[in-house]
Amino acid sequence: MAVAPPENGTPPEPARPRSGFDRYFEVSARGSTMGREVRGGLATFFTMAYIVVLNPLILGAAVDGDGQRLAIPALAAATALVAGLMTVLMGVVGRFPLAVAAGLGVNALVAYEIAPEMTWADAMGLVVIEGLIIGVLVLTGLRTAVFRSVPTQMKTAIGVGIGLFLTIIGLVDSGFVRRIPDAANTTVPVGLGIGGKLVSWPMLVFVVGLLLTLVLVVRRVRGAILIGILVSTVLAIVMQALFNIGPSVVDGVSNPKGWSLNVPEIPRTVVAVPDLSLLGDFNVLDSWSRAGWLVALMFVFTLLITDFFDTMGTMVAIGQEGDMLDEEGTPPRAKEILLVDSIGAVAGGAASVSSNTAYVESAAGVAEGARTGVANLVTGALFLLAMFFAPLVVIVPFEAASTALVVVGFLMMTAVRTIDWSDYEIAIPAFLTIVLMPFTYSISNGIGAGLIVYVVVKLARGKARQVHPLLYAVALLFVGYFLRGPVESLLL
């Protein structure tokens, strides 16, 4: 965070590093402390630990072209392992408080669109190929150049949109906002709680936790978000013990008043031996012959576009939240951050857990004061421990962790004031970028729509020279991305 100069106008001297460790990670230089980094790392872990449970459920529920399933215990162990290693690598190489884990959305694409056309090993091989391509784009400087070609105010809009996206994720995951069952017959697709009412104990946990966190944030209590998560989790454990609420789905039968994912119960066992049998189970060649080169190419393209721009938007949002962007809206060590992200895609495919990517939930850690890669060392270590202590990880329910997402969404939304809403040439693309992320549940959709409209508006105003040449190529790629359905139907 920037430090105000003294009254005599002399700029303050930068904080002197206390050790080689401090100097390498720039802890003092970025105005942070070890305490803030640890709190931030803890907050980030608790807000995204659900992926250790959710990713196996998504991938494990699908079957490949041979009717085979991936073992859920092995998926859970590999998910935690890769998330831990990649998060630590991001901290050491990128030195940025940006955690990495299996990407939501990408895992569903792999599970329900790609794997049914081939084997699991083939599908994960395509993920590896996609990661390698992104890595080459980073090393050649193209990915960084594309990022820098995006106007600063559009980058701000991306951060604001991700804030709203986080908010809707938190509200939906907590059950506070739900899809209306007969939405096809109504004009309102979602509503409050169950039938417009808050009638379950898990919802009460979320509401109490959110109010507590907001009060702590307003009073500027250190560790407000982390305290909110922990207190909400304790309340959830008490509620479960008293009322035996159970999960939202019991033996295939819906239980609307149940916990969204994790049931907050004290586990009978604490330590479990991880199953790492899925590591290295991928194939980069067979998919092209089995599904056809055109199908495989379209899958790789879709994965590429999603990963390419999701991480760009996420690192802008995190940098914006922590006041770590330069005048052009670029975070420090952007090339290294993007390189580690591409390695995460390769590692995720090689471990059969789908592409690993930067997590916007890292904003929870930044809100707690994290500014460096030290927070990643904490988050990564906890993911590695989660391989052995998976029963403890699943104690924290969505209803407790989601409070952080809503609060962080508010904090990220505040940057909207820096966009010039009187200039329609930037305001309209910014508006579409912001609203389409939460409304389509996709960061890439928001970025793509915003950049396409930005280019179109500039051309319509006769200001083609104001658009960076790379943005024309990016806009065309996104046109192909949005039209991939018709293109596939015509060519396949």
Side-chain angles (χ1 to χ4, degrees):
M1 193 71 69
V3 180
E7 294 182 0
N8 60 13
T10 304
E13 295 184 4
R16 294 181 179 178
R18 301 176 181 177
S19 64
F21 183 89
D22 187 325
R23 183 181 302 107
Y24 180 82
F25 286 102
E26 302 177 328
V27 178
S28 298
R30 296 188 188 180
S32 185
T33 65
M34 290 301 298
R36 292 176 184 174
E37 296 299 315
V38 171
R39 286 203 311 271
L42 288 169
T44 294
F45 175 75
F46 283 120
T47 55
M48 60 183 289
Y50 66 84
I51 196 62
V52 178
V53 178
L54 187 56
N55 192 52
L57 292 180
I58 292 173
L59 293 176
V63 296
D64 65 9
D66 292 340
Q68 300 297 312
R69 295 180 184 271
L70 297 176
I72 288 181
L75 283 170
T79 296
L81 174 64
V82 177
L85 293 177
M86 289 300 101
T87 296
V88 170
L89 186 64
M90 180 67 80
V92 174
V93 176
R95 306 179 203 174
F96 196 68
L98 191 60
V100 178
L104 289 174
V106 176
N107 55 7
L109 173 66
V110 172
Y112 298 110
E113 293 188 38
I114 299 179
E117 300 292 332
M118 54 195 76
T119 67
W120 281 111
D122 296 338
M124 295 303 171
L126 291 183
V127 175
V128 171
I129 292 173
E130 173 258 333
L132 291 173
I133 293 174
I134 290 184
V136 171
L137 295 177
V138 174
L139 293 174
T140 58
L142 181 60
R143 194 180 187 189
T144 306
V146 169
F147 175 75
R148 292 184 181 278
S149 71
V150 177
T152 301
Q153 291 194 61
M154 284 298 292
K155 291 176 182 175
T156 300
I158 290 170
V160 173
I162 290 176
L164 290 181
F165 184 40
L166 273 179
T167 301
I168 191 66
I169 289 175
L171 294 175
V172 170
D173 285 352
S174 67
F176 189 83
V177 170
R178 302 190 183 207
R179 182 181 293 108
I180 296 176
D182 62 344
N185 301 318
T186 70
T187 57
V188 182
V190 294
L192 176 67
I194 302 173
K197 301 177 182 178
L198 302 178
V199 292
S200 73
W201 294 116
M203 287 186 217
L204 176 63
V205 169
F206 170 74
V207 171
V208 171
L210 179 60
L211 290 175
L212 171 64
T213 306
L214 290 173
V215 169
L216 294 175
V217 168
V218 170
R219 294 181 63 86
R220 302 187 182 277
V221 175
R222 291 184 177 180
I225 292 176
L226 183 58
I227 292 172
I229 294 173
L230 295 177
V231 172
S232 299
T233 300
V234 172
L235 178 60
I237 292 172
V238 173
M239 291 291 185
Q240 173 62 25
L242 291 175
F243 305 107
N244 192 27
I245 301 163
S248 58
V249 178
V250 182
D251 297 328
V253 179
S254 177
N255 174 25
K257 297 182 180 181
W259 303 100
S260 297
L261 179 64
N262 298 342
V263 178
E265 295 178 316
I266 302 298
R268 295 180 180 178
T269 59
V270 174
V271 180
V273 178
D275 179 357
L276 301 178
S277 59
L278 291 177
L279 300 186
D281 189 12
F282 68 98
N283 191 314
V284 298
L285 299 176
D286 287 354
S287 58
W288 300 86
S289 58
R290 176 161 179 168
W293 69 270
L294 189 56
V295 173
L297 185 63
M298 289 301 296
F299 283 144
V300 170
F301 175 72
T302 303
L303 289 169
L304 185 67
I305 289 292
T306 302
D307 267 355
F308 193 99
F309 289 96
D310 269 16
T311 299
M312 286 188 179
T314 300
M315 73 181 193
V316 167
I318 301 305
Q320 187 172 289
E321 169 65 17
D323 195 17
M324 294 180 285
L325 303 181
D326 62 18
E327 295 79 6
E328 297 180 350
T330 303
R333 302 181 65 81
K335 183 176 182 179
E336 287 81 359
I337 293 171
L338 295 173
L339 180 60
V340 174
D341 180 75
S342 65
I343 295 173
V346 175
S352 297
V353 294
S354 181
S355 176
N356 271 233
T357 189
Y359 257 59
V360 72
E361 283 89 341
S362 304
V366 174
E368 283 292 352
R371 296 292 183 272
T372 76
V374 176
N376 276 38
L377 303 184
V378 176
T379 303
L382 290 173
F383 268 119
L384 294 176
L385 285 174
M387 287 194 302
F388 302 92
F389 296 93
L392 287 178
V393 174
V394 300
I395 289 179
V396 182
F398 267 170
E399 289 78 4
S402 294
T403 58
L405 303 185
V406 176
V407 174
V408 170
F410 155 71
L411 295 174
M412 296 173 67
M413 179 72 186
T414 59
V416 75
R417 68 186 183 277
T418 64
I419 297 174
D420 184 2
W421 295 103
S422 65
D423 180 2
Y424 284 10
E425 293 178 20
I426 194 69
I428 291 175
F431 167 75
L432 290 174
T433 298
I434 291 169
V435 300
L436 286 180
M437 285 188 193
F439 290 163
T440 66
Y441 243 62
S442 169
I443 294 174
S444 292
N445 288 347
I447 295 175
L451 292 181
I452 290 173
V453 172
Y454 176 79
V455 171
V456 170
V457 168
K458 286 293 186 182
L459 290 174
R461 293 279 290 168
K463 298 180 178 180
R465 292 184 177 180
Q466 292 184 7
V467 179
H468 194 288
L470 281 174
L471 278 190
Y472 287 110
V474 171
L476 286 175
L477 284 174
F478 268 115
V479 169
Y481 172 76
F482 287 123
L483 294 180
R484 67 190 186 280
V487 171
E488 289 174 358
S489 64
L490 287 174
L491 298 178
L492 304 182

